[in-house]
């Protein structure tokens, strides 16, 4: 354990609280930078703070960083990670100067990497904690207040498996479930294994118990998380464990959608493809990181597969699930990449027909083998290749989206909305293949949705009514619509609207009520001051305490 207490003389000091016992609870906000694993870690941080008596700041206060405790959960994967962190901390310095007692905490991968250097650069930070000791956050905050000194505590190995911690779920209809932490791969561009450690797998019964707990509280969608999710089971000696886990999720009553991210092509086996195709609630969607199409570059990256193996996996996935949507990660400008290497990436991307891709320009990460490789490419070369690759993927995505026009899809309605949905009165959600869909409601339902797009749910919101209009969906409900037009990275379904653009006006529109929609209503009524709390707290009671993980009850044929 690396632990220090720091407070340079010229930094702001947050003194011990002298507030009366009856004072309102201290408020908190958590800002997340980075991947899905970080998003889920932030849910754990929020759960621990609420268990310790903090309450989440109101949305307007969060937007202005007006909270008693501001936690930044950092990422260290990209080159601009530190720039983003210190930019955020610079903004917080002036806010903190005007808020006596305010505390700032920094956690996550960059905290694990930079340690006490964060307080040295930003002496107004109160707490720094790493990826291996999330559970220490409330104690470190209290210690920093009591000691009037910054607390930096970085564990060298995992102290408590994060999934055993209290969790404040962001959504009532969908949830993340970690099946493993850490990674055993040695990709030369990646710093994650150094910061998150070797892979550690949870037992299947623990994973399924957490999934069951989520379903019991109203969730109908779960995403299984791991740095290398399909190598699950290696630690306890069962290389077929991931496929078995997918099939077991299919036995959980009420669980309608199962997703997972991210697999590694080298360990992606046909038993996983079969489990996906044969388990009805495992969705026809796959995120399969390619990184590069050149075998020479893949070898330099220590990616233990080659382009033809990768394309073979996609062929077998589509043979088993013809409508599968496949996405990927790509890196442009890896050290030594030639124009011929880049042409191979373009070839494989063209052949792969990805629905979308997360495309990155290579950046040197100190501590990774690739950072010291010769032939680092000039910025202008990387930028030009990046733009060519992005243009290709934009075209492919547009073509793949266009193939969806005319299809009937079932959309899980989400709480967020698109940029223009407020003006068009559309709702937003995800189809089974995870494509983003903006859908219209019937003309005579539009008036019921007035004010919806501002994000506020008020007591007179028609979605909370006991006599709910059967055509008005709530977040968490399912809506069946027909896709009427497409864009590269979203679909539009105006089939409910007469005279809609394209083939709209077909009348295809139906709402299916779900337990998730019921749970959303219960949560909002509780927030507004009435009803019972059915929000997610990791399967725990409303107080947000930890849950005892046992074997779930499974539905048998």
């Amino acid at each position: 354990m690396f632990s220090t207490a720091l407070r340079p003389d010229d930094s702001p000091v947050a003194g011990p609280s002298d507030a009366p016992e009856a004072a309102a609870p201290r408020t908190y906000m958590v800002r997340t930078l980075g991947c899905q694993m970080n998003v889920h870690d932030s849910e754990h941080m929020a759960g621990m703070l609420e268990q310790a008596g903090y309450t989440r700041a109101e949305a307007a206060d969060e937007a202005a960083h007006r909270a008693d405790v501001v936690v930044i959960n950092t990422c260290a994967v990209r080159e601009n990670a530190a720039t983003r962190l210190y930019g955020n901390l610079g903004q917080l310095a002036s806010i903190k100067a005007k808020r006596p007692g305010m505390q700032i905490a920094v956690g996550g991968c960059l905290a694990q990497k930079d340690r006490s250097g964060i307080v040295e650069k930003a002496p107004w930070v109160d707490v720094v904690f790493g990826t291996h000791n999330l559970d220490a956050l409330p104690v470190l905050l209290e210690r920093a207040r009591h000691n009037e000194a910054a607390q930096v505590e970085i564990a060298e190995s995992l102290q408590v498996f994060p999934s055993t911690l209290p969790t404040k779920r962001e959504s009532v209809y969908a949830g993340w479930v970690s099946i493993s932490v850490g990674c055993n791969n040695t990709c030369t561009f990646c710093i994650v294994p150094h910061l998150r450690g070797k892979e550690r797998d949870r037992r299947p019964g623990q994973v399924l118990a957490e999934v069951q707990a989520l379903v019991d509280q109203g969730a109908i969608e779960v995403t299984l998380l791991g740095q290398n999710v399909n190598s699950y089971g290696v630690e306890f000696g069962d290389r077929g464990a991931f496929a078995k886990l997918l099939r077991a999720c299919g036995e959980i009553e009420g669980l309608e959608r199962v997703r997972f991210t991210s697999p590694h092509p080298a360990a992606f086996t046909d038993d996983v493809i079969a489990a996906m195709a044969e388990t009805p609630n495992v969705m026809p969607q796959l995120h399969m990181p390619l990184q590069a199409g050149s075998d020479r570059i893949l070898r330099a990256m220590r990616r233990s597969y080659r382009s033809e193996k990768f394309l073979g996996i996609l062929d077998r996935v589509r043979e088993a699930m013809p409508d599968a949507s496949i996405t990927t990660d790509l890196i442009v400008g890896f050290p030594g990449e030639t124009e011929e290497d880049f042409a191979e990436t373009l070839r494989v991307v063209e052949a792969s027909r990805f629905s979308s891709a997360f495309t990155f320009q290579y950046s040197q990460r100190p501590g990774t083998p690739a950072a010291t490789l010769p032939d680092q490419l000039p910025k202008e070369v990387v930028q030009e290749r990046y733009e060519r690759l992005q243009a290709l993927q934009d075209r492919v995505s547009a073509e793949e989206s266009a193939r969806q026009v005319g299809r009937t899809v079932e959309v899980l309605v989400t709480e967020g909305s698109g940029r223009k949905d407020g003006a068009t009165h559309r709702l937003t959600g995800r189809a089974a293949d995870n494509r983003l869909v903006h859908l219209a409601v019937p003309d005579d339902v539009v008036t019921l949705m007035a004010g919806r797009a501002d994000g506020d749910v008020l007591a007179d919101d028609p979605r909370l009514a006991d006599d709910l209009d059967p055509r008005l969906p709530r977040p968490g409900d399912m809506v069946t619509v027909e896709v009427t037009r497409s864009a590269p990275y979203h679909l539009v379904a105006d089939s409910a609207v007469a005279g809609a653009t394209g083939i709209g006006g077909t009348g295809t529109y139906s709402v299916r009520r779900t337990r998730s929609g019921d749970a959303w209503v219960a949560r909002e009524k509780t927030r507004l001051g009435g009803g019972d709390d059915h929000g997610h707290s990791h399967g725990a009671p409303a107080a947000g305490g930890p849950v005892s993980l046992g074997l779930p009850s499974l539905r048998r044929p």
Side-chain angles (χ1 to χ4, degrees), residues 246 260 268 272-279 282-283 285-286 321:
L246 290 178
F260 58 88
F268 202 79
V272 174
I273 298 174
M276 293 177 67
E278 295 166 11
T279 308
V282 177
M283 294 294 95
Q285 175 239 332
L286 180 65
M321 294 169 286

Side-chain angles (χ1 to χ4, degrees), residues 36 92 109 112 122 174 182 206 229 234 245 252 274 282 290-291 297 303 375 388 482 547 553:
Q36 297 97 329
L92 289 172
C109 289
Q112 186 78 25
Q206 293 177 322
V229 71
V234 171
L245 185 64
I252 297 179
V282 177
L290 170 61
Q291 307 300 2
I297 295 300
R303 301 285 287 178
D375 301 321
R388 272 193 284 158
E482 186 175 322
V547 63
S553 58

Side-chain angles (χ1 to χ4, degrees), residues 258-498:
V258 178
R259 307 186 190 279
F260 58 88
T261 194
S262 292
H264 192 294
F268 202 79
T269 50
D270 288 347
D271 63 332
V272 174
I273 298 174
M276 293 177 67
E278 295 166 11
T279 308
N281 64 358
V282 177
M283 294 294 95
Q285 175 239 332
L286 180 65
H287 184 75
M288 183 66 74
L290 170 61
Q291 307 300 2
S294 162
D295 289 349
R296 190 180 74 84
I297 295 300
L298 288 171
R299 193 174 299 111
M301 289 178 168
R302 291 187 196 156
R303 301 285 287 178
S304 47
Y305 57 88
R306 300 297 173 256
S307 60
E308 290 313 303
K309 176 176 180 175
F310 184 92
L311 290 170
I313 292 171
L314 303 196
D315 287 342
R316 293 195 298 278
V317 168
R318 288 182 170 127
E319 182 178 0
M321 294 169 286
D323 294 327
S325 170
I326 302 176
T327 58
T328 197
D329 295 332
L330 297 164
I331 296 174
V332 178
F334 188 81
E337 179 189 78
T338 64
E339 183 60 32
E340 290 74 20
D341 293 322
F342 180 66
E344 277 295 286
T345 293
L346 296 178
R347 177 187 70 84
V348 177
V349 168
E350 177 83 57
S352 296
R353 309 304 297 175
F354 299 119
S355 57
S356 66
F358 296 95
T359 306
F360 305 97
Q361 298 185 35
Y362 170 77
S363 58
Q364 289 178 279
R365 306 307 296 134
T368 63
T372 59
L373 288 176
D375 301 321
Q376 302 282 333
L377 271 61
K379 169 65 177 177
E380 59 271 17
V381 172
V382 179
Q383 179 67 34
E384 189 273 337
R385 290 178 184 172
Y386 173 83
E387 291 173 1
R388 272 193 284 158
L389 178 58
Q390 191 61 57
L392 169 61
Q393 185 56 55
D394 286 347
R395 174 176 63 79
V396 171
S397 294
E399 292 168 354
E400 292 302 302
S401 286
R403 294 177 56 216
Q404 307 304 309
V405 174
R407 290 189 61 195
T408 298
V409 296
E410 188 172 48
V411 179
L412 172 58
V413 176
T414 60
E415 289 185 89
S417 59
R419 215 163 25 92
K420 300 179 181 178
D421 286 354
T424 62
H425 303 292
R426 293 190 183 99
L427 301 177
T428 290
R430 295 280 176 176
D433 62 7
N434 211 36
R435 282 186 168 91
L436 183 67
V437 181
H438 302 293
L439 63 97
V441 299
D443 291 333
D444 56 348
V445 180
V446 168
T447 54
L448 298 175
M449 305 299 295
R452 172 195 57 82
D454 61 10
D456 292 331
V457 179
L458 304 177
D460 61 351
D461 192 302
R463 294 171 295 178
L464 305 181
D466 292 334
D467 57 343
L468 179 66
D469 188 300
R471 299 162 302 162
L472 178 58
R474 309 160 301 181
D477 284 340
M478 295 282 196
V479 181
T480 298
V481 286
E482 186 175 322
V483 178
T484 55
R485 57 190 174 90
S486 66
Y489 299 108
H490 71 263
L491 305 174
V492 174
D494 283 347
S495 56
V497 181

Side-chain angles (χ1 to χ4, degrees), residues 3-202:
S3 182
T4 61
L6 301 171
R7 176 62 69 188
D9 292 338
D10 59 349
S11 65
V13 174
S17 173
D18 57 358
E21 290 185 10
R26 284 168 62 79
T27 60
Y28 77 90
M29 61 171 287
V30 181
R31 180 161 188 185
T32 308
L33 310 176
C35 64
Q36 297 97 329
M37 195 70 73
N38 270 20
V39 172
H40 192 32
D41 283 350
S42 291
E43 291 183 330
H44 294 313
M45 295 173 194
M48 288 183 294
L49 290 171
E50 296 215 353
Q51 188 180 60
Y54 295 81
T55 61
R56 182 171 175 173
E58 295 293 332
D61 289 332
E62 282 196 4
H65 294 97
R66 290 191 301 263
D68 297 316
V69 172
V70 177
V71 183
I72 302 179
N73 188 10
T74 63
C75 173
V77 172
R78 309 308 305 159
E79 185 176 27
N80 66 350
T83 302
R84 291 185 67 191
L85 170 63
Y86 291 109
N88 277 283
L89 292 178
Q91 293 176 353
L92 289 172
S94 59
I95 298 172
K96 182 176 180 179
K98 300 173 185 176
R99 287 182 63 89
M102 177 181 173
Q103 291 182 289
I104 301 169
V106 178
C109 289
L110 196 63
Q112 186 78 25
K113 174 178 172 289
D114 287 0
R115 306 185 178 210
S116 59
I118 292 173
V119 176
E120 291 167 4
K121 293 179 181 178
W124 53 92
V125 170
D126 299 275
V127 168
V128 178
F129 62 106
T131 59
H132 298 312
N133 61 325
L134 302 183
D135 58 306
L137 174 59
V139 172
L140 293 174
L141 287 167
E142 187 57 36
R143 191 188 301 165
R145 293 176 70 197
H146 180 272
N147 294 349
E148 302 183 20
Q151 302 298 307
V152 180
E153 188 167 293
I154 306 294
E156 302 299 339
S157 59
L158 196 65
Q159 304 298 294
V160 177
F161 206 101
S163 291
T164 64
L165 299 172
T167 308
K168 179 67 175 179
R169 303 279 181 178
E170 285 294 313
S171 166
V172 295
Y173 46 82
W176 311 100
V177 175
S178 291
I179 68 172
S180 64
V181 295
C183 181
N184 293 337
N185 291 317
T186 58
C187 302
T188 55
F189 57 81
C190 186
I191 199 168
V192 169
H194 174 67
L195 301 178
R196 295 240 179 212
K198 292 291 186 181
E199 181 176 325
R200 290 186 60 181
D201 297 331
R202 300 174 70 193

